[in-house]
């Protein structure tokens, strides 16, 4: 029984959000990001650019001959970063070797296995008796790098995304977009969106705006959705141009209006932060500033729940011959009674009903006759 | 895993990196908060205390709302829990508040079992949450959480110490729920008495090992205020929804001939402290403690009962399956047995009902036969009468014919003698005719129920039921 209480004076539970805020800052956050794509697509550079730090000091790149029979490895980097009192434990899951070998059959298998392993670990921890310190290693988001050199998705791209779209939030990106002109980018984006629809790939969808958000927010949201897949460029170098120090890439073409009258090969700088140059800013804002928590929620509430339900059903059907069994482990399936028993019960019910009716009729007749 | 406080950063090899600029994940708390606000919050309070001690009034005062409530009677058979849910909203924060009242607490003469309904209720809410958590298809994020987050225990203001019932009940509840003891109706205790009373209560609780809720002091922003409040437990509160004019303001207060006790005056009572701690500072912590400590404890006990051990560090994922296998066999056996029982019961019931119905059928048949027989007998009688009457009819016809021929020669007399005479001479047709004529005459003079003679003959009712004609003879 719920009713509206009338308020006369300030009670104080409007501070609840602040209490939640305070506790969450104290506890800290964690996020696991996976990057996947062929070598040389700019994954490491992008990650460094996103988090403005250098995760990949001293790494060794393999030669082509070493990569002929390359298998996909899974490498985790974990870092603690803090900003304005908010602590974030960031885990980047790298997949070197993906798509690099000559025969790439099922090259995504190590990746799907890794994701499943994390789910299974979490499931076991969650079902255990002591749940004080559960570590959440589940992958919250996977950035998939599509090479810009082709005409759209390649078979390996399609197969990879289809293998993963029900296990993790996939955000497809067009890598190294600085080799495409704006028109080419637009055409490629449309093409890729079409193909994603055509192949039934379920990429991460931004949640709908609340109807009471302001117009500006809704406009931004709309632009964001129309801009996918994001065409990104990453850069590790800081460039000085126009009196500013920004992250960018330096190319020896183009002329930039400088303050000097002498015309010489001035490098034209591509600013990452410049929204007309690439979608890096959109990606960063979406991934980190506005949708990070939603990515975690979708992973917990949708992908993990699906995995758990599937896992339980496999377990129960593998061991149980008759599906009437109620599982005794910490899960409670919705038990369905056996079809035969149900039929029998129904039959007997009807029979009883009929007999009851007959009895009533006879009683009625007797009653009439007595009168 | 080590049972230390959650410190996510201690167990792994990782590095601290410095950032080259503003990344932007400092908005994460805001993202979390906005999600919680959209979802809404829920909070469940359990009020335990004697009848009439002021539980409902305190709730009304705390939340500034008149929750509908009738007074409880003192004559309940036992202790009942009465939960009521309300939707409140303040600015943009929605709160689903459930207040659970204990009706009849402390009224019975034998109070040994008073704590049981309370413990059962708390356990049931934990059980419901556990069931939801164990389902295959579960939706925990929009599950209406009914677990009790806080138990306010109302202590009667005797001024001496706790009552025995209080001690026993709190001891049973302290491992299941966060308890905040409060001294109710504190306007009957003077300041000095109150101080002694509080000390006595706290020492009794400590010496009996009752664990009440301590306001958390680990977060620097609130540790100071929480620590100072911890020293004021138990809070001495006064509740009131009536307003009294003090100075030029109307405040909630109780008016006595000797003065006015103001609810929100900190020197009069601890109501403001209670509200501050309960609602404005620690509500979220109460919810967290309920989930992380009390619920986990319940869950662990329950699962251990069901036979699950925690997986050892070196055991395979299949240890779960071994337990499963064993349990499954047990369960199968159980299930089969139960099935047999039910089948037996069912068959027996059906047999019984069939037998009953057969009996009834037989009865009905017998009755039917009986009625048939009666009917036949009646019919036979009626037939007999009819046959007899037909005979008479014929006889009369003949007599009538004879009488007619006689009347041609003789006048008709209104003569009973003649009638008698004619009756005695039945066998002669002429006499019978005259007698029929006489009868006709009689019929004309003394009409029977029917309008005419022929109608009279044909109307069996008149003949059979009317005493004028008796079977076996006229007159």
């Amino acid at each position: 029984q719920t009713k509206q209480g009338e308020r006369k004076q300030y009670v104080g539970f409007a501070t609840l959000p602040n209490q939640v805020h305070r506790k969450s800052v104290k506890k800290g956050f964690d996020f696991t990001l996976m990057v996947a794509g062929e070598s040389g697509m700019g994954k490491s550079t992008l990650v460094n650019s996103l988090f403005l730090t250098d995760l990949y000091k001293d790494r060794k790149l393999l030669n082509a001959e070493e990569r002929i029979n390359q298998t996909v490895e899974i490498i985790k980097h974990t870092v603690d970063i803090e900003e304005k009192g908010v602590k974030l434990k960031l885990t980047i899951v790298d997949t070197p070797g993906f798509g690099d070998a000559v025969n790439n059959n099922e090259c995504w298998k190590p990746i799907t296995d890794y994701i499943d392993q994390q789910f299974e670990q979490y499931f076991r921890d969650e079902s255990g008796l002591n749940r004080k310190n559960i570590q959440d290693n589940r992958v919250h988001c996977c950035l998939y790098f599509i090479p810009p050199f082709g005409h759209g998705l390649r078979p390996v791209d399609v197969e990879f995304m289809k293998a993963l779209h029900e296990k993790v939030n996939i955000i497809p990106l067009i890598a190294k977009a600085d080799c495409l002109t704006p028109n080419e980018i637009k055409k490629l984006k449309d093409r890729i969106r079409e193909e994603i629809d055509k192949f039934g790939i379920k990429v991460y969808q931004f949640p709908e705006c609340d109807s009471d958000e302001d117009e500006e927010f809704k406009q931004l949201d709309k632009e964001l959705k129309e801009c996918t897949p994001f065409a990104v460029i990453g850069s590790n170098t800081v460039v000085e141009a126009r009196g500013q120090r920004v992250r960018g890439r330096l190319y020896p073409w183009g002329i930039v209006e400088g303050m000097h009258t002498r015309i010489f090969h001035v490098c034209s700088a591509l600013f990452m932060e410049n929204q007309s140059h690439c979608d890096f800013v959109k990606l960063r804002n979406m991934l980190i500033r506005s949708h990070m928590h939603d990515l975690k929620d979708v992973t917990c509430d949708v992908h993990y729940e699906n995995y758990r339900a599937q896992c339980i059903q496999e377990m129960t059907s593998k061991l149980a011959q008759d599906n009437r069994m109620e599982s005794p482990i910490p899960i409670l399936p919705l038990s369905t009674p056996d079809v035969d028993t149900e039929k029998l019960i129904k039959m007997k019910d009807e029979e009883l009903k009929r007999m009851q009716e007959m009895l009533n009729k006879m009683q009625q007749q007797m009653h009439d006759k007595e009168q | 895993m080590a049972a230390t406080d959650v410190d996510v950063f201690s167990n792994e090899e990782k590095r601290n990196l410095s950032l080259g600029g503003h990344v932007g994940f400092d908005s994460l708390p805001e993202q979390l908060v906005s999600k919680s606000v959209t979802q809404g919050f829920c909070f469940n309070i359990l009020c335990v205390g004697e009848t009439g001690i002021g539980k409902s009034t305190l709730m009304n005062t705390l939340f500034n709302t008149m929750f509908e409530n009738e007074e409880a009677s003192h004559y309940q058979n036992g202790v009942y829990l009465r939960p009521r849910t309300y939707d409140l909203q303040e600015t943009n924060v929605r709160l689903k508040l459930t207040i659970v009242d204990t009706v009849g607490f402390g009224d019975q003469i034998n109070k040994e079992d008073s704590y049981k309904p309370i413990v059962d209720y708390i356990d049931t809410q934990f059980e419901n949450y556990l069931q939801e958590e164990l389902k295959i298809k579960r939706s925990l994020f929009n599950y209406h959480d009914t677990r009790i987050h806080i138990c306010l225990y109302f202590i009667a203001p005797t001024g001496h110490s706790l009552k025995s019932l209080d001690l026993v009940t709190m001891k049973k509840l302290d491992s299941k729920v966060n308890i905040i003891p409060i001294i109710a109706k504190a306007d009957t205790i003077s300041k000095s008495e109150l101080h002694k009373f509080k000390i006595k209560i706290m020492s009794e609780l400590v010496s009996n090992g009752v664990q009440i809720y301590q306001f958390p002091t680990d977060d620097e922003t609130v540790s100071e205020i929480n620590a100072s409040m911890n020293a004021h437990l138990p809070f001495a509160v006064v509740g009131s929804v009536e307003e009294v004019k003090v100075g030029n303001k109307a405040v909630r207060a109780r008016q006595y001939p000797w003065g006015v006790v103001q609810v929100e005056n900190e020197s009069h009572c601890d109501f403001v402290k209670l509200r501050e701690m309960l609602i404005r500072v620690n509500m979220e912590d109460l919810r967290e403690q309920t989930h992380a400590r009390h619920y986990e404890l319940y869950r662990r006990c329950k699962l251990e009962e069901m036979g699950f051990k925690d997986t050892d560090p070196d055991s395979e994922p299949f240890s779960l399956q071994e337990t499963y296998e064993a349990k499954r066999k047990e369960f199968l056996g159980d299930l089969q047995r139960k099935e047999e029982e039910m089948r037996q019961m069912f068959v027996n019931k059906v047999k019984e009902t069939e037998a009953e119905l057969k009996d009834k059928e037989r009865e009905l048949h017998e009755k039917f036969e009986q009625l048939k027989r009666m009917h036949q007998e009646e019919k036979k009688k009626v037939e007999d009468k009819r046959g007899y009457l037909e005979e008479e009819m014929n006889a009369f016809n003949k007599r009538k014919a004879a009488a007619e021929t006689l009347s041609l020669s003789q006048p008709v007399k209104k003569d009973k003698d003649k009638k008698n005479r004619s009756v005695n001479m039945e066998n002669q047709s002429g006499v019978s005719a005259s007698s029929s004529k006489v009868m006709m005459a009689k019929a004309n003079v003394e009409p029977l129920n029917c309008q005419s003679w022929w109608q009279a003959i044909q109307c069996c009712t008149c003949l059979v039921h009317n005493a004028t004609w008796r079977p076996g003879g006229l007159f």
Side-chain angles (χ1 to χ4, degrees):
Chain A
Q1 174 206 2
T2 51
K3 68 174 275 233
Q4 284 291 332
E6 1 158 323
R7 258 199 54 248
K8 281 181 250 168
Q9 215 189 340
Y10 183 62
V11 175
F13 60 81
T15 58
L16 264 172
N18 295 350
Q19 297 180 30
V20 170
H21 189 283
R22 178 168 42 94
K23 278 193 173 291
S24 70
V25 166
K26 181 163 185 297
K27 193 161 148 205
F29 296 87
D30 65 277
F31 191 71
T32 305
L33 179 67
M34 178 185 265
V35 286
E38 289 178 358
S39 294
M41 284 288 113
K43 304 185 293 289
S44 319
T45 315
L46 185 73
V47 167
N48 283 343
S49 316
L50 270 176
F51 294 98
L52 293 178
T53 180
D54 194 1
L55 273 87
Y56 298 96
K57 287 190 168 68
D58 316 317
R59 70 172 176 155
K60 191 167 109 45
L61 293 172
L62 296 174
N63 297 332
E65 67 215 14
E66 290 168 315
R67 287 195 244 146
I68 292 177
N69 290 318
Q70 168 112 75
T71 49
V72 179
E73 286 172 71
I74 307 279
I75 298 186
K76 260 175 38 164
H77 304 268
T78 307
V79 289
D80 283 326
I81 39 184
E82 182 176 331
E83 194 170 62
K84 293 197 185 155
V86 178
K87 298 199 261 284
L88 175 65
K89 175 170 158 246
L90 177 69
T91 306
I92 306 286
V93 180
D94 227 337
T95 55
F98 176 80
D100 283 346
V102 175
N103 180 0
N104 285 315
N105 259 342
E106 304 234 314
C107 61
W108 49 85
K109 199 151 183 329
I111 301 178
T112 49
D113 285 346
Y114 176 81
I115 297 179
D116 280 342
Q117 251 173 43
Q118 307 314 307
F119 278 157
E120 188 186 328
Q121 175 72 43
Y122 191 82
F123 178 38
R124 257 193 291 148
D125 286 344
E126 194 194 35
S127 309
L129 291 184
N130 191 347
R131 307 199 296 186
K132 271 205 187 303
N133 290 334
I134 299 185
Q135 294 241 8
D136 185 5
N137 292 323
R138 298 174 290 184
V139 179
H140 299 125
C141 176
C142 174
L143 299 177
Y144 184 67
F145 288 71
I146 300 170
F149 311 124
H151 288 292
L153 295 177
R154 304 163 301 162
V156 71
D157 299 328
V158 174
E159 289 304 310
F160 175 84
M161 287 201 272
K162 285 196 79 150
L164 255 68
H165 64 170
E166 287 181 341
K167 293 184 189 291
V168 73
N169 299 314
I170 298 186
I171 299 183
L173 303 174
I174 300 176
K176 298 210 159 170
D178 51 346
C179 76
L180 298 170
T181 64
N183 272 341
E184 288 170 347
I185 288 185
K186 186 167 178 320
K187 265 196 356 208
L188 186 58
K189 282 188 181 184
D190 288 341
R191 186 71 179 274
I192 291 181
R193 271 203 296 264
E194 246 179 68
E195 290 181 340
I196 284 178
D197 269 339
K198 185 168 85 161
F199 291 106
I201 299 172
K202 295 184 227 165
V203 297
Y204 171 70
Q205 301 290 333
F206 305 115
E208 293 299 324
C209 265
D210 288 328
S211 53
D212 55 348
E213 298 277 4
D214 52 17
E215 277 311 309
E216 193 191 322
F217 189 84
K218 282 195 199 165
Q219 182 63 24
L220 282 177
D221 191 60
K222 192 152 104 62
E223 276 176 32
L224 203 67
K225 288 185 179 152
E226 286 170 2
C227 200
T228 56
F230 296 124
V232 291
I233 303 161
S235 166
N236 274 333
T237 50
V238 176
V239 177
E240 179 152 2
R242 292 192 207 152
Q244 286 179 316
R245 289 176 62 82
V246 288
R247 285 208 171 211
R249 289 178 64 73
L250 228 47
Y251 288 114
W253 44 83
I255 300 178
V256 170
E257 278 182 338
M259 287 180 290
H260 306 276
T261 50
R262 209 158 40 114
I263 296 176
F264 58 150
H265 275 306
V266 174
C267 303
S268 128
L270 195 162
F271 302 136
M272 266 172 28
E273 306 262 333
N274 188 327
Q275 300 232 34
S276 63
H277 288 188
C278 74
D279 295 329
F280 172 80
V281 174
K282 287 205 179 71
L283 171 68
R284 181 195 57 197
N285 289 346
M286 185 279 295
L287 183 64
I288 299 178
R289 295 186 188 176
S290 50
H291 289 82
M292 197 180 237
H293 210 81
D294 186 63
L295 285 165
K296 290 180 64 168
D297 285 342
V298 174
T299 309
C300 292
D301 296 337
V302 177
H303 298 297
Y304 171 69
E305 290 294 321
N306 285 343
Y307 171 82
R308 181 178 170 274
Q310 198 183 25
C311 193
I312 291 172
Q313 275 170 344
E314 271 174 26
M315 249 208 284
T316 52
S317 70
K318 223 196 303 173
L319 295 183
Q321 293 305 319
D322 55 336
N323 52 7
R324 228 181 343 158
M325 252 287 298
E326 287 212 25
S327 157
I329 69 167
I331 47 167
L332 290 178
L334 317 159
S335 61
T336 51
D338 191 17
V339 186
D340 287 335
T341 324
E342 245 186 36
K343 263 198 258 176
L344 196 67
I345 292 177
K346 228 183 267 184
M347 251 170 46
K348 293 280 171 181
D349 264 339
E350 280 169 25
E351 220 178 298
L352 279 167
K353 226 185 287 181
R354 270 198 310 246
M355 290 182 140
Q356 191 67 29
E357 276 172 31
M358 241 169 51
L359 188 64
N360 286 342
K361 235 189 290 178
M362 287 182 153
Q363 280 181 344
Q364 190 64 27
Q365 279 179 0
M366 264 168 42
H367 191 65
D368 290 342
K369 281 212 180 109
E370 276 167 16
Q371 285 199 346
Chain B
M1 298 248 193
T4 53
D5 267 323
V6 180
D7 186 6
V8 198
F9 308 105
S10 62
N11 290 349
E12 278 194 344
E13 46 131 319
K14 49 186 169 29
R15 322 160 259 165
N16 268 306
L17 287 192
S18 55
L19 300 173
H22 178 65
V23 177
F25 60 82
D26 56 338
S27 66
L28 271 172
E30 272 84 45
Q31 295 179 32
L32 176 61
V33 165
S34 87
K35 174 186 134 189
S36 328
V37 169
T38 346
Q39 262 186 329
F41 297 90
C42 82
F43 196 65
N44 307 318
I45 305 181
L46 169 67
C47 293
V48 180
E50 302 171 359
T51 309
I53 202 153
K55 306 184 282 290
S56 313
T57 312
L58 186 68
M59 287 297 111
N60 288 352
T61 321
L62 258 179
F63 289 99
N64 246 316
T65 317
M66 291 302 289
F67 299 122
E68 47 183 290
N69 264 318
E70 334 80 43
E71 278 186 9
S73 95
H74 283 277
Y75 300 99
Q76 305 277 349
N77 282 345
V79 179
Y80 300 107
L81 277 90
R82 190 174 60 183
R84 290 203 171 128
T85 309
Y86 306 94
D87 278 320
L88 305 174
Q89 180 158 1
E90 198 168 62
T91 62
N92 64 337
V93 177
R94 283 173 299 124
L95 180 70
K96 211 180 193 55
L97 178 73
T98 302
I99 300 181
V100 186
D101 237 333
T102 48
V103 176
F105 187 77
D107 278 333
Q108 296 79 36
I109 296 183
N110 180 359
K111 295 177 265 202
E112 278 182 348
D113 291 339
S114 292
Y115 71 88
K116 282 205 187 112
I118 306 178
V119 169
D120 286 343
Y121 181 84
I122 297 177
D123 278 345
T124 311
Q125 308 319 305
F126 282 152
E127 183 65 33
N128 289 346
Y129 191 85
L130 185 64
Q131 300 275 330
E132 181 67 30
E133 210 184 25
L134 297 182
K135 275 194 191 156
I136 292 188
K137 286 199 197 301
R138 54 189 194 175
S139 57
L140 284 173
F141 50 88
N142 56 9
Y143 173 76
H144 174 43
D145 189 3
T146 51
R147 299 174 292 182
I148 302 289
H149 299 124
I150 175 72
C151 169
L152 292 174
Y153 196 94
F154 289 69
I155 299 171
T158 55
H160 297 311
S161 70
L162 287 176
K163 294 191 181 168
S164 53
L165 174 65
D166 295 338
L167 200 55
V168 165
T169 311
M170 279 203 266
K171 197 95 184 79
K172 292 277 181 202
L173 291 178
D174 68 350
S175 58
K176 293 193 175 287
V177 73
N178 303 315
I179 302 183
I180 295 183
I182 52 184
I183 301 173
K185 302 205 166 177
D187 49 352
T188 53
I189 313 185
S190 71
K191 265 225 158 17
S192 52
E193 288 172 354
L194 185 64
H195 187 63
K196 277 198 287 195
F197 191 32
K198 281 192 182 184
I199 293 180
K200 186 78 168 78
I201 292 178
M202 290 311 281
S203 75
E204 278 195 320
L205 289 176
V206 164
S207 62
N208 284 287
V210 175
Q211 304 216 353
I212 57 173
Y213 176 73
Q214 296 291 322
F215 303 118
T217 48
D218 49 359
D219 188 348
E220 319 78 47
T221 36
V222 291
S223 63
E224 216 182 285
I225 184 172
N226 277 347
S228 76
M229 290 298 177
N230 274 328
H232 280 104
L233 285 173
F235 293 130
V237 292
V238 173
S240 169
V241 289
E242 289 154 0
E243 297 196 341
V244 173
K245 208 152 188 317
V246 171
N248 54 356
K249 272 198 336 181
V251 294
R252 291 180 293 174
R254 288 176 63 77
Q255 175 130 58
Y256 289 105
W258 48 87
V260 176
V261 179
Q262 295 161 37
V263 166
E264 303 205 30
N265 186 329
E266 294 213 48
S267 59
H268 288 193
C269 72
D270 295 331
F271 173 81
V272 173
K273 295 193 177 72
L274 174 68
R275 183 178 61 192
E276 194 69 24
M277 286 291 100
L278 182 64
I279 301 182
R280 296 187 188 172
V281 176
N282 294 306
M283 205 182 223
E284 185 59 29
D285 185 68
L286 285 165
R287 282 154 43 104
E288 215 181 276
Q289 290 286 325
T290 307
H291 180 67
R293 225 177 56 187
H294 300 292
Y295 170 70
E296 287 296 316
L297 183 63
Y298 174 82
R299 179 177 174 277
R300 178 159 57 208
C301 294
K302 199 65 199 293
L303 291 186
E304 275 177 351
E305 248 178 66
M306 281 166 63
F308 296 101
K309 296 178 229 349
D310 211 350
T311 51
D312 310 307
D314 52 19
S315 77
E316 324 299 317
F318 298 112
S319 70
L320 206 59
Q321 277 179 321
E322 278 169 30
T323 333
Y324 182 83
E325 201 45 87
K327 277 273 158 175
R328 175 186 174 253
K329 290 207 180 80
E330 207 185 298
F331 256 63
L332 254 184
D334 253 354
L335 198 75
Q336 277 180 351
R337 210 178 5 102
K338 283 210 179 112
E339 216 187 294
E340 267 315 302
E341 274 178 39
M342 277 195 59
R343 206 172 278 159
Q344 250 340 88
M345 220 168 56
F346 187 69
V347 166
N348 288 346
K349 267 236 157 94
V350 171
K351 280 207 187 109
E352 267 178 44
T353 325
E354 271 185 9
E356 258 180 52
L357 287 169
K358 277 215 174 65
D359 279 340
K360 285 253 159 84
E361 223 184 297
R362 219 177 344 109
E363 263 182 55
L364 281 170
H365 269 296
E366 280 180 19
K367 269 212 161 166
F368 188 58
E369 292 296 316
Q370 206 186 22
L371 279 170
K372 224 164 87 172
R373 262 180 280 131
M374 263 172 53
H375 204 231
Q376 291 207 350
E377 278 174 30
E378 289 280 341
K379 201 167 159 193
K380 199 158 155 303
K381 284 186 207 158
V382 171
E383 289 287 340
D384 285 343
K385 279 188 203 154
R386 174 170 262 195
Y388 189 73
L389 283 162
E390 295 241 353
E391 283 177 27
E392 290 193 0
M393 239 170 65
N394 291 338
F396 289 143
N397 275 341
K398 288 189 203 137
R399 283 198 197 137
K400 177 185 169 197
E404 275 176 351
T405 49
L406 207 61
S407 72
L408 290 177
S409 48
Q410 263 187 1
V412 173
K413 281 195 191 155
K414 238 201 239 189
D415 214 348
K416 275 217 173 122
D417 297 332
K418 266 220 176 132
K419 197 170 47 177
N420 286 338
R421 229 185 324 125
S422 60
V423 167
N424 286 332
M425 292 192 277
E426 278 178 14
N427 291 328
Q428 299 175 22
S429 59
V431 176
S432 54
S434 74
S435 73
S436 74
K437 191 102 189 197
V438 165
M439 270 198 280
M440 195 159 68
K442 179 171 169 56
N444 283 335
V445 166
E446 293 173 18
L448 295 174
N449 290 340
C450 305
Q451 297 284 31
S452 79
W453 170 246
W454 292 119
Q455 269 188 347
I457 287 193
Q458 282 153 34
C459 177
C460 297
T461 332
C462 296
L463 289 171
V464 171
H465 291 284
N466 198 321
T468 317
W469 308 106
R470 294 216 186 284
L474 306 159
F475 305 118

